[in-house]
Amino acid sequence: MSFAILSAVLTDRLRRDCAPSHPAIARFAPECRAAVARTCARHSRLGDLAASFPALLHRIAVRAEPCAEAAIVAGEPLKRAAEAAALPMWTRRLPPEAFGGRSPDLPGCVSFDRRIVNVLPANRSAARGWLERVVEAARWGEEDFVIWVAREARLHPHRLPIENLKLAALHAFFSRRPKVLGGELSRESWSPALKPRAALARARDWLKAIEVAVTLGDREFDGWLAPGEVDGFEFVAVATREALVEEAVAMEHCVASYACDIACDAGRIWSVRRGGVRVATLSIEFGEAPYLVISQIKGRRNAPAPDAVWYAARTWLNGQAPARKREVDWDRPLDRKAWIELWKPYWIASGRLPIELPLAPSQQALYALRAPRRRRAPRRRA
């Protein structure tokens, strides 16, 4: 038999295998439609699931659940077959469009089932994005958070990017536990009343505080210079993680991102104040020359610092700059004690040690939490 004839035979057989015996089969995603069609062809009762319980049909087709399939063929109740497939009954209301090439574990309990049915996807086209977000939320968050995601993703799944849900779920978990380190680092707590944009903004602020905590630990760093006062401006060292976060919050800028520079001895941060009120944030470092230089001075919200602040800072620095250069240790690891103290409550509560939050401190894990923001698409002119 020639290759052309063999290819035609196989193509025809595949077409017949994938031909839907029920109209609802055509509504499944292309990556699982063939498996669903083959499952329906094995027995008429399995084919009936395409209309009565698409989620169960999909689970049997993709995961090959022999116990559930046998229960359906034997005419047992759908609830018993769903239990055999470890599938919660609320999924019976999901349309075929909600399912793709894999069948992940789905949350379910008495209270959850009662709540989730009120926030099911509003239309078929949004069903798959909705379910993907519910699965991701259930993997990382608690019941209230999952229901919130289901509600907010009901009409507009794009407002909750799936890559941001892990961070948002972890923030929701810790913000409700103020006595642990992760809760202490949360300035604003999560609430089911929040809109997605506000919830994600609070989670990102919380992540910045986490990065500072696990980078600096509970150590106190010398400021390289002595505090002083010039022309009424006071220079106060920002030498601990608490002080760094406090400076970032008070001045509303990104000075917290300098935690790595402090830990690696690449730079130091000083707060410039007048009459006890913060007016600017000063960054110093060793440049090419063997003495300290001012890398930048920023006011509130990164506004340019006044000339008077620059003059006072130069005068203060030049009067005491040490004539030696510090060795920079860019490979300095994260603080293990702070890392374990941070994530331990979550590990215990969830009963697992996710590979994304390993026992050993990991810069890659922090980077994975820092999901990129999505830019808005430009508006089209009429």
Side-chain angles (χ1 to χ4, degrees):
M1 183 180 295
S2 67
F3 177 78
I5 297 177
L6 178 61
S7 177
V9 171
L10 292 177
T11 301
D12 181 67
R13 181 174 299 177
L14 180 62
R15 187 182 298 112
R16 284 187 282 105
D17 288 343
C18 298
S21 58
H22 192 284
I25 296 178
R27 292 166 53 191
F28 284 90
E31 56 264 35
C32 67
R33 194 177 300 154
V36 170
R38 287 193 296 269
T39 302
C40 293
R42 290 201 290 268
H43 198 280
S44 60
R45 287 176 176 169
L46 293 172
D48 293 340
L49 292 177
S52 62
F53 204 156
L56 182 56
L57 174 60
H58 179 264
R59 176 64 62 90
I60 294 174
V62 174
R63 281 198 180 183
E65 298 283 353
C67 294
E69 181 174 345
I72 293 297
V73 172
E76 297 185 14
L78 290 177
K79 184 176 181 180
R80 188 173 301 174
E83 290 176 353
L87 191 68
M89 283 299 293
W90 64 265
T91 58
R92 185 177 181 182
R93 301 193 182 189
L94 293 176
E97 289 83 358
F99 308 101
R102 51 186 294 268
S103 181
D105 294 329
L106 296 170
C109 64
V110 176
S111 63
F112 183 86
D113 291 359
R114 284 199 300 261
R115 301 173 68 185
I116 193 69
V117 294
N118 297 315
V119 288
L120 292 176
N123 52 67
R124 296 176 180 176
S125 60
R128 184 165 179 177
W130 179 90
L131 185 60
E132 289 174 348
R133 284 156 177 77
V134 168
V135 170
E136 182 70 4
R139 183 167 180 252
W140 293 103
E142 298 177 298
E143 181 176 315
D144 285 350
F145 180 79
V146 180
I147 297 298
W148 175 79
V149 169
R151 185 192 71 206
E152 295 299 328
R154 184 170 181 264
L155 294 173
H156 306 288
H158 63 278
R159 294 182 181 177
L160 276 173
I162 196 167
E163 60 268 21
N164 294 118
L165 291 183
K166 176 171 61 174
L167 175 61
L170 292 171
H171 175 244
F173 174 88
F174 282 102
S175 67
R176 292 185 165 190
R177 294 162 174 83
K179 294 184 179 181
V180 301
L181 177 58
E184 294 174 0
L185 297 174
S186 177
R187 289 173 40 233
E188 297 179 290
S189 62
W190 175 85
S191 166
L194 290 174
K195 291 300 180 182
R197 184 181 299 178
L200 295 179
R202 293 186 182 188
R204 292 189 186 102
D205 289 342
W206 175 70
L207 178 59
K208 293 177 183 177
I210 284 178
E211 292 174 338
V212 172
V214 299
T215 301
L216 300 182
D218 56 3
R219 293 168 290 174
E220 182 172 356
F221 295 82
D222 68 281
W224 293 352
L225 300 170
E229 181 176 344
V230 178
D231 297 339
F233 292 103
E234 307 164 14
F235 295 88
V236 181
V238 179
T240 64
R241 74 187 187 198
E242 293 83 1
L244 187 62
V245 172
E246 184 180 344
E247 182 75 8
V249 172
M251 298 300 289
E252 300 180 59
H253 53 38
C254 59
V255 71
S257 63
Y258 283 75
C260 182
D261 290 356
I262 297 174
C264 298
D265 279 336
R268 289 292 187 266
I269 302 296
W270 285 76
S271 177
V272 185
R273 306 176 186 182
R274 190 164 198 169
V277 179
R278 290 179 172 87
V279 295
T281 302
L282 166 69
S283 172
I284 59 175
E285 64 182 21
F286 283 97
E288 293 297 327
Y291 49 80
L292 285 172
V293 295
I294 299 174
S295 58
Q296 65 176 348
I297 307 178
K298 294 293 185 180
R300 191 179 304 275
R301 297 181 180 176
N302 284 323
D307 292 345
V309 174
W310 275 96
Y311 180 80
R314 291 292 300 272
T315 304
W316 165 75
L317 177 62
N318 291 338
Q320 58 173 322
R324 63 189 182 90
K325 188 170 183 177
R326 292 289 182 112
E327 292 295 329
V328 178
D329 181 14
W330 291 114
D331 295 326
R332 187 166 189 147
L334 299 176
D335 189 279
R336 182 180 178 86
K337 179 182 177 182
W339 179 272
I340 293 178
E341 182 184 356
L342 172 65
W343 299 120
K344 186 177 180 180
Y346 181 80
W347 293 333
I348 294 175
S350 61
R352 65 192 184 100
L353 189 65
I355 191 173
E356 296 90 343
L357 294 178
L359 187 62
S362 169
Q363 286 283 5
Q364 288 76 12
L366 288 179
Y367 182 81
L369 286 174
R370 202 184 308 124
R373 299 186 184 185
R374 293 187 177 182
R375 296 182 178 179
R376 293 184 179 180
R379 294 184 178 180
R380 294 183 180 179
R381 296 183 179 181

